[in-house]
Amino acid sequence: FMREIVSSPDYILEANKPKSALLLKSFYVDNKYFKAVLRLITSTDDSNFKNSIITFMKIDEKEWNRLIKNKKTLYKQE
């Protein structure tokens, strides 16, 4: 599921740390919900840095809803 989460997230939410984002993706096969924390490189970072997944986990629907409610939404797939 990792490639699809990164390439086509349902939500991108503001994370607690700078230069980071929460990616949320649900899969309708077995109603699975996933969260990934992505660290993004910027023009001010060392040129050897790469975008990277910091954390990846399966979450339940309650956590999914809590994140959407309490975090700033940067992107929502329509």
Side-chain angles (χ1 to χ4, degrees):
F1 298 120
M2 186 66 78
R3 182 179 305 259
E4 191 170 347
I5 292 168
V6 173
S7 65
S8 182
D10 293 332
Y11 288 90
I12 300 176
L13 306 176
E14 186 174 64
N16 295 337
K17 300 210 179 214
K19 303 178 186 178
S20 298
L22 296 176
L23 306 178
L24 299 181
K25 182 72 177 175
S26 65
F27 292 92
Y28 293 104
V29 178
D30 299 328
N31 285 333
K32 294 184 180 185
Y33 298 89
F34 293 93
K35 173 178 80 173
V37 179
L38 183 65
R39 166 58 164 87
L40 304 169
I41 60 166
T42 67
S43 60
T44 60
D45 288 326
D46 183 307
S47 62
N48 293 317
F49 285 8
K50 305 284 185 207
N51 293 334
S52 48
I53 300 291
I54 303 297
T55 304
F56 171 73
M57 63 191 71
K58 182 178 178 217
I59 59 174
D60 61 20
E61 186 176 7
K62 182 178 177 180
E63 173 69 1
W64 171 276
N65 292 329
R66 185 190 70 76
L67 289 168
I68 293 169
K69 178 182 174 189
N70 295 328
K71 297 285 187 180
K72 180 179 177 183
T73 301
L74 303 175
Y75 167 82
K76 180 181 177 185
Q77 186 177 55
E78 297 297 327

